[in-house]
Amino acid sequence: MSVIEVSKLTKYYGKARGIEDVSFSEEEGEIFGFIGPNGAGKSTTIRLLLSLIHPTSGSAKVFGKDVVTHGPEIRRDIGYLPSEVYYYEGMKVVDLLKYSASFYNGDCTQRMHELSETMELEMNRRISDLSYGNKKKVGIVQGLLHSPKLLFLDEPTSGLDPLMQRKFFNLIREENARGVTVFFSSHILGEVQRLCTRVGIIREGSIVEISDIRTLQKNNYKKVHVTAEGLTRASFDLPGVTNVQVENRSVNFFFKGDINAVLQKISGIPVADVTIEEPTLEEIFMHYYE
């Protein structure tokens, strides 16, 4: 079952492009990565799905319901961590979280305290006394305290130190294991690679690729590193070879195509070392932007 269905979703701010003809779906229980640089349209897409802004054209459904006509109803079962968090500076953390919990049915007290303990959040401090990273922790607890079915994370780890980032990822994996569907937007590609099974790449407001991460890596080029005597730039002059670099006795290059062609070349050379690797998500991503 699709939790999110987006069809030709378009948003213009006057004449300025937000997103254009964006289409994708996310299945129940999935962690879907949405990647692109700042300004690509990631936050605009999330705000449209939350019905915080309305589309210029196209449509989106969450839980099978249109986001424009059923916005308030849909948002009861959604958790949202925006990329930037702003709060009433004079409030204590505990009062802010209780205020947030009051918008939902049911008692969120136990869950609120469990999450605060996990994220090492000091409940009696004032918002004005918190660092940016600690305010982000408040946002994480606030987004999860009502046990949502769907979680939107927009650049969630900015401001968190590496140890807290690890705790956060573990927390998201636990939520997902309980059945929570996660929409994870980021420009930090290593995060997406660690957490997500499927990814959409957005560039200048348009989707350029949707694929599971494994397929994305396999269908892209391979990184090849060969060490041998007398290698030159022409040693691997084959169709599909790009980005050739020669250093001392080594040749590094990217290859897309039938890897047997490269292996045949290598078999005719007395090599000292060979490595053939899949590219990182970062390298794949740069490939779409070059």
Side-chain angles (χ1 to χ4, degrees):
M1 175 190 154
S2 292
V3 171
I4 298 173
E5 295 172 81
V6 176
S7 177
K8 296 190 174 181
L9 199 60
T10 299
K11 176 65 179 177
Y12 274 88
Y13 301 98
K15 289 185 178 177
R17 182 267 310 150
I19 59 170
E20 203 163 30
D21 284 337
V22 166
S23 298
F24 65 88
S25 63
E26 179 174 5
E27 299 305 302
E28 188 174 3
E30 191 176 14
I31 304 181
F32 182 76
F34 197 54
I35 59 175
N38 294 329
K42 301 187 303 296
S43 294
T44 294
T45 304
I46 288 176
R47 287 173 190 143
L48 286 164
L49 290 170
L50 292 166
S51 197
L52 299 175
I53 55 176
H54 289 180
T56 306
S57 62
S59 65
K61 290 180 179 179
V62 172
F63 308 128
K65 297 167 186 172
D66 182 83
V67 294
V68 176
T69 53
H70 294 89
E73 183 186 339
I74 290 167
R75 284 194 292 269
R76 285 183 203 138
D77 291 315
I78 285 177
Y80 172 44
L81 177 63
S83 53
E84 301 290 330
V85 287
Y86 300 99
Y87 294 118
Y88 301 117
E89 294 286 312
M91 285 183 89
K92 284 187 177 180
V93 172
V94 66
D95 295 327
L96 179 80
L97 293 175
K98 281 179 180 175
Y99 175 59
S100 299
S102 71
F103 287 95
Y104 303 101
N105 295 327
D107 186 1
C108 304
T109 311
Q110 187 183 342
R111 180 88 178 122
M112 183 176 80
H113 285 286
E114 283 171 4
L115 289 165
S116 298
E117 198 173 310
T118 300
M119 297 308 295
E120 297 175 21
L121 188 59
E122 294 176 51
M123 301 278 273
N124 287 314
R125 290 184 68 184
R126 293 196 182 279
I127 299 291
S128 55
D129 295 337
L130 298 182
S131 65
Y132 176 65
N134 279 319
K135 285 179 185 174
K136 205 69 188 259
K137 287 195 231 175
V138 175
I140 292 165
V141 176
Q142 185 185 29
L144 288 167
L145 57 77
H146 59 296
S147 301
K149 293 178 189 170
L150 171 62
L151 189 56
F152 284 99
L153 304 171
D154 192 0
E155 306 284 356
T157 61
S158 59
L160 298 180
D161 63 54
L163 194 63
M164 200 48 65
Q165 283 184 23
R166 190 186 299 174
K167 284 195 171 194
F168 170 73
F169 285 127
N170 288 338
L171 180 61
I172 298 308
R173 286 190 190 99
E174 284 169 17
E175 289 296 298
N176 181 243
R178 289 197 306 110
V180 176
T181 305
V182 181
F183 186 91
F184 187 103
S185 169
S186 180
H187 68 275
I188 303 170
L189 305 165
E191 292 184 350
V192 172
Q193 197 163 356
R194 277 167 61 192
L195 203 64
C196 303
T197 47
R198 206 163 60 95
V199 66
I201 299 174
I202 188 166
R203 174 185 178 180
E204 294 172 2
S206 298
I207 298 283
V208 292
E209 181 77 69
I210 293 176
S211 178
D212 68 84
I213 284 178
R214 232 171 243 287
T215 304
L216 199 62
Q217 288 177 313
K218 282 182 180 171
N219 289 350
N220 266 270
Y221 45 79
K222 299 280 189 281
K223 290 194 297 179
V224 183
H225 176 87
V226 183
T227 304
E229 293 294 341
L231 290 179
T232 66
R233 195 169 283 273
S235 298
F236 290 92
D237 187 12
L238 294 166
V241 170
T242 55
N243 293 52
V244 181
Q245 293 178 319
V246 182
E247 290 177 32
N248 300 327
R249 296 166 56 238
S250 295
V251 172
N252 301 303
F253 56 89
F254 293 143
F255 178 75
K256 187 168 186 176
D258 183 358
I259 197 67
N260 287 299
V262 173
L263 295 174
Q264 207 168 355
K265 276 276 187 186
I266 291 169
S267 68
I269 304 168
V271 298
D273 190 29
V274 177
T275 57
I276 300 173
E277 299 176 84
E278 290 183 358
T280 64
L281 201 54
E282 185 106 30
E283 287 163 330
I284 292 170
F285 184 67
M286 291 315 298
H287 169 72
Y288 283 104
Y289 269 77
E290 285 168 355

